[in-house]
Amino acid sequence: MKIVVLKFGGTSVGSTKKIKKVAEIIVDYKKKNYKVIVISSAMSGVTNELIKKSFEISKNFSESEHDVLVSSGEQMACSLIAGRLIHKGHKSRSWLSWQVPILTVGKHKNSRINEINRNRIIKYLKEGGIPIITGFQGVNNENRISTIGRGGSDASAIMFAKFFKAEKCIIYTDVEGVYTTDPNKLKKAKKIKIISYEEMLEMASLGAKVMQPVSIQDARLNRIDIEVKSSFIKKSGTLITKRSKIMNNKIVTGISSTQNDSKVSLIGVKDKPGVAASIFKPLSKNLINVDMVVQNISANGKETDLTFTIKAEDLSKTKKIIQENKSINYRKLLFEKGVSKISVIGVGMITTPGVTFRMFQALANKKINIQVISTSEIKISVLIDKRNTKKALIALHNEFNLDNKK
Ligand code: ADP
Ligand code: ASP
Ligand code: MG
């Protein structure tokens, strides 16, 4: 069976007009004799609206009810797509995750899909039907609806491609593919024709919203090629695939940025073994993700300064945890919301020395101060003043020759 998985993001199904367009794309694949499995997200803005409502009900809204609530956005989009296909004379129906079923493991709001029952969908495909399946969700072993993290429909599509051994897995979105940096932030951004899982994973984790990081991990693990393309413009997109398929002479493939980071500094911390652990242990217990960390060498051997970054939404919780932590001594506690993390990413930097220097020099030339640095084999991240984000993006995009067409 020649199967294609087509995933449509919130922006692609954002209005009934757009849904009519989506139905045409689906029919095109059907005409090419594919068995088409469609995964849809909620209409854009709907998930956010639902989350807002839950907060109006309670600041501590039940996590299991949160999942029931937010998963409903996908139900609406799927029935509208199926309805349009039926209107056009095709056999189609919506499938909610429990009807498939799609099975999940893990905590509410952040589960993972670990199995998809194939039988009913295969039977339906054989009957000539086009299943329109709710992304972003499944049912857990207690038969409760569970969602798989924001942007999770991408991961739903990858798992369908895996379990149904799809020939193609295509992520339709509102941009033409994966760009060297967010094309909505920098006009000069260029579409990347082909990118490795590793680079895409770093770009996504470091702020490129176009693909959800978990979906890239799953695709890499299962060796599933992903095409990312536009729902609105008929043009070739980006192929996300294994590194060995790529001939690339660029040192840096892309640049990501985030604007929702906050910086926490503890000044004059008593320097003794175990101090960092006693700061970070209660944070990790409370599921606060600590990202970049720097600790100064203590000049007098007694005191040191420690700085780290967290998501802005975790700031008030972090403040409380540190202030209530009786096992640490420090002179001053500083918090800063106005920071942004810029990262350059590329497998080319493994074999090319001097990338760090070029990055720092390009920022220095624009008088942009670097506050914190972190690196891995294929990425360098720096923390800067949020107001300099655009300036830094422009400078680095130019420095690493991303302004030029490949
Ligand atoms: P969907 O609704 O299809 O899931 P998303 O909003 O999740 O779409 O992702 C698409 C958006 O990702 C684009 O509109 C773009 O602004 C943003 N984006 C961020 N970084 C990149 C990048 N490097 N390449 C392409 N798009 C990016
Ligand atoms: N609708 C969900 C969200 O907004 C899932 C998705 O978009 O993939 O996060
Ligand atoms: Mg998305």
Side-chain angles (χ1 to χ4, degrees):
M1 215 188 276
K2 202 168 86 164
I3 293 177
V4 62
V5 172
L6 308 180
K7 180 257 166 174
F8 295 94
T11 45
S12 303
V13 295
S15 64
T16 46
K17 193 172 163 206
K18 287 178 178 171
I19 287 179
K20 289 177 184 171
K21 179 87 188 62
V22 159
E24 284 171 22
I25 298 175
I26 297 169
V27 171
D28 277 350
Y29 282 95
K30 182 90 181 139
K31 283 186 184 149
K32 286 182 205 152
N33 285 323
Y34 277 105
K35 299 284 183 199
V36 189
I37 296 178
V38 175
I39 310 294
S40 183
S41 174
M43 295 170 89
S44 59
V46 169
T47 312
N48 285 346
E49 272 305 312
L50 293 167
I51 294 174
K52 218 171 108 199
K53 284 197 172 70
S54 76
F55 278 123
E56 284 166 17
I57 292 292
S58 162
K59 290 270 169 292
N60 254 329
F61 197 79
S62 146
E63 301 215 323
S64 52
E65 288 310 324
H66 166 101
D67 280 356
V68 178
L69 178 70
V70 301
S71 64
S72 64
E74 273 69 16
Q75 173 167 344
M76 174 165 73
C78 286
S79 72
L80 288 171
I81 301 172
R84 181 65 186 176
L85 290 167
I86 295 166
H87 170 84
K88 286 283 178 184
H90 300 276
K91 183 179 164 79
S92 183
R93 62 160 277 198
S94 58
W95 287 81
L96 310 184
S97 54
W98 59 269
Q99 295 171 325
V100 176
I102 301 168
L103 304 176
T104 55
V105 287
K107 289 200 163 92
H108 278 291
K109 289 173 140 177
N110 205 13
S111 301
R112 297 281 290 254
I113 294 173
N114 78 333
E115 214 185 308
I116 298 172
N117 192 318
R118 302 174 72 244
N119 299 345
R120 292 175 193 163
I121 295 293
I122 290 284
K123 182 167 175 280
Y124 188 66
L125 287 171
K126 280 185 179 159
E127 290 164 5
I130 309 173
I132 317 294
I133 300 163
T134 51
F136 176 53
Q137 55 205 273
V139 278
N140 65 17
N141 61 3
E142 286 167 0
N143 214 18
R144 299 292 312 255
I145 299 286
S146 57
T147 60
I148 61 172
R150 295 304 306 269
S153 305
D154 293 334
S156 304
I158 304 303
M159 292 314 261
F160 268 88
K162 172 189 165 175
F163 281 100
F164 289 82
K165 298 195 171 44
E167 201 171 275
K168 277 175 182 287
C169 179
I170 308 177
I171 305 290
Y172 278 96
T173 185
D174 64 338
V175 285
E176 283 178 34
V178 180
Y179 281 68
T180 48
T181 193
D182 187 343
N184 288 319
K185 284 191 188 149
L186 191 72
K187 278 228 156 59
K188 278 186 175 168
K190 295 282 178 301
K191 188 164 56 181
I192 301 170
K193 281 196 188 121
I194 184 164
I195 185 170
S196 66
Y197 297 120
E198 291 79 6
E199 288 166 315
M200 190 66 239
L201 183 56
E202 289 280 13
M203 280 186 71
S205 318
L206 295 164
K209 189 181 169 224
V210 63
M211 288 300 298
Q212 188 225 27
V214 172
S215 71
I216 305 299
Q217 280 171 336
D218 289 338
R220 181 183 176 206
L221 213 62
N222 297 293
R223 292 289 178 233
I224 293 164
D225 284 357
I226 309 170
E227 276 176 70
V228 183
K229 53 162 67 170
S230 163
S231 293
F232 314 120
I233 300 162
K234 254 196 180 157
K235 271 193 181 168
S236 61
T238 299
L239 178 67
I240 307 171
T241 188
K242 50 177 178 267
R243 216 190 282 186
S244 58
K245 282 197 194 165
I246 303 172
M247 289 280 290
N248 189 355
N249 51 12
K250 293 254 176 193
I251 302 165
V252 167
T253 304
I255 305 175
S256 286
S257 66
T258 58
Q259 296 218 350
N260 54 350
D261 290 307
S262 287
K263 189 174 77 169
V264 181
S265 298
L266 286 93
I267 311 294
V269 183
K270 286 257 170 321
D271 197 14
K272 54 177 186 197
V275 66
S278 40
I279 293 170
F280 294 130
K281 194 174 164 195
L283 294 177
S284 92
K285 251 189 165 169
N286 282 282
L287 302 178
I288 290 170
N289 203 0
V290 173
D291 184 14
M292 306 165 101
V293 184
V294 274
Q295 183 179 343
N296 290 344
I297 295 174
S298 111
N300 56 9
K302 287 180 190 148
E303 280 187 348
T304 179
D305 301 338
L306 191 108
T307 297
F308 58 90
T309 63
I310 49 167
K311 293 263 160 284
E313 69 214 36
D314 290 332
L315 188 59
S316 53
K317 211 166 157 190
T318 303
K319 228 182 216 174
K320 196 162 171 267
I321 292 170
I322 295 183
Q323 282 162 347
E324 287 172 0
N325 188 342
K326 296 276 173 284
S327 64
I328 45 171
N329 286 304
Y330 52 85
R331 274 192 286 116
K332 220 181 350 180
L333 185 59
L334 303 173
F335 299 98
E336 196 183 326
K337 260 193 166 176
V339 288
S340 150
K341 185 169 69 172
I342 308 271
S343 311
V344 299
I345 297 125
V347 290
M349 65 177 82
I350 300 174
T351 48
T352 317
V355 183
T356 317
F357 164 73
R358 278 176 68 184
M359 180 175 191
F360 295 173
Q361 189 64 62
L363 294 173
N365 289 345
K366 296 287 169 202
K367 307 215 166 4
I368 298 171
N369 187 37
I370 298 171
Q371 304 181 13
V372 185
I373 303 160
S374 81
T375 62
S376 80
E377 206 182 20
I378 63 164
K379 73 116 205 274
I380 307 162
S381 301
V382 295
L383 197 72
I384 60 170
D385 188 317
K386 197 173 180 167
R387 286 169 296 190
N388 288 327
T389 311
K390 183 85 186 266
K391 205 159 65 163
L393 269 183
I394 295 171
L396 296 172
H397 206 264
N398 180 42
E399 173 63 30
F400 293 106
N401 304 324
L402 300 176
D403 292 352
N404 312 323
K405 262 213 149 16
K406 287 190 187 173

